[in-house]
Amino acid sequence: MSKLMDKQAAMQDFLQNHVLDRWQYDLIEIDQRYNEQKDHIESSFCDVFDELCTQAFMQQQQGSKGEIHTIYVSYLRTSIMENCATYRIDAYDENWFLDRTECSALWDADFIFAPLFERVKKLEKIKSAYARKITSMDIERIKQMEAIKYHLLAVEFMRSMVPVLLESPGYRQMTKSPKICLFAGEYRDQCEVLYQNPDLANEETSGAGV
């Protein structure tokens, strides 16, 4: 790297040569890891989901929780900062975020994010060649930017698991609204629908066309 390169040029060079498109090479490792640990990965996610629903059911039996309207899987940026890929799953009644009875569980998605964390460690070493124009704070911002791509992979995994989740003992015994929805996204922020009652979704579509 040229010593005359300014901060902006250094960042462009760093991104071009060491960051952009590198995540695609991680897909092979993620796929391999998933295939090798498929049973464990899927069962651990199902176990956490079942634990959440069982907790909600017990709260309902105690009268502190209404029927469940929303299950929200939160992507936690703070955990990414700590090189952990922890998702928080919450069950809410009709009050949603105003639901006063906390019902949550944690799920570890390191099988998806581990290659990212390894890449970031290497970036920390590479940055020394840029004469302090690339800082650890820059690396953290890059990690958060790259992590969104891995989060999207996690969302697709969650979506693929929905049919199994809906058959879990905890979910089946839990009292839930016919309009129950499962979401995944940033904590109390933008999200994607993982599941909603297909009959209700069809009704809404039909109604919108009238």
Side-chain angles (χ1 to χ4, degrees):
M1 189 200 77
S2 170
K3 292 183 179 180
L4 300 177
M5 191 177 292
D6 63 16
K7 170 76 174 181
Q8 183 176 356
M11 179 58 71
Q12 289 177 344
D13 185 87
F14 187 79
L15 292 173
Q16 185 65 43
N17 291 304
H18 306 292
V19 179
L20 298 181
D21 299 328
R22 295 301 193 276
W23 71 276
Q24 297 182 34
Y25 298 105
D26 290 340
L27 295 177
I28 298 173
E29 181 179 343
I30 293 169
D31 187 60
Q32 181 179 355
R33 188 186 297 254
Y34 176 70
N35 288 328
E36 291 175 352
Q37 305 175 28
K38 185 175 186 294
D39 291 343
H40 171 71
I41 290 169
E42 293 184 355
S43 64
S44 64
F45 182 56
C46 290
D47 288 347
V48 170
F49 185 85
D50 187 68
E51 172 192 330
L52 174 81
C53 295
T54 300
Q55 181 182 349
F57 173 72
M58 294 176 64
Q59 291 173 345
Q60 289 170 338
Q61 294 294 96
Q62 296 165 1
S64 59
K65 176 81 75 176
E67 64 178 12
I68 301 303
H69 283 237
T70 306
I71 294 178
Y72 195 107
V73 186
S74 297
Y75 167 72
L76 304 176
R77 286 180 177 269
T78 52
S79 74
I80 299 300
M81 292 175 64
E82 299 170 354
N83 288 333
C84 296
T86 302
Y87 281 78
R88 170 173 168 154
I89 312 177
D90 289 271
Y92 299 106
D93 61 19
E94 66 276 9
N95 296 306
W96 204 355
F97 292 142
L98 298 178
D99 184 350
R100 295 183 178 180
T101 304
E102 180 178 316
C103 182
S104 65
L106 299 176
W107 172 59
D108 182 356
D110 272 352
F111 81 96
I112 291 175
F113 287 81
L116 169 64
F117 299 146
E118 285 301 314
R119 252 194 325 124
V120 169
K121 289 180 183 178
K122 294 176 182 177
L123 292 179
E124 278 287 349
K125 297 178 181 178
I126 293 171
K127 82 176 193 303
S128 62
Y130 285 77
R132 298 184 180 178
K133 290 185 172 68
I134 305 297
T135 67
S136 292
M137 188 174 295
D138 293 324
I139 299 296
E140 182 58 40
R141 282 194 288 265
I142 290 170
K143 179 168 68 171
Q144 293 290 351
M145 176 183 70
E146 290 288 283
I148 294 299
K149 300 166 185 174
Y150 297 77
H151 166 63
L152 295 177
L153 294 176
V155 169
E156 288 309 308
F157 167 75
M158 296 175 211
R159 185 175 283 117
S160 73
M161 292 297 297
V162 164
V164 181
L165 300 179
L166 300 184
E167 294 300 319
S168 67
Y171 183 83
R172 291 172 68 89
Q173 72 177 348
M174 178 183 72
T175 304
K176 48 201 168 287
S177 166
K179 297 182 179 181
I180 188 171
C181 285
L182 277 63
F183 296 102
E186 298 226 25
Y187 185 60
R188 300 193 176 191
D189 203 333
Q190 294 182 343
C191 60
E192 295 186 45
V193 176
L194 296 178
Y195 168 81
Q196 66 180 130
N197 188 318
D199 295 332
L200 293 174
N202 292 334
E203 287 179 11
E204 291 176 1
T205 303
S206 301
V210 174

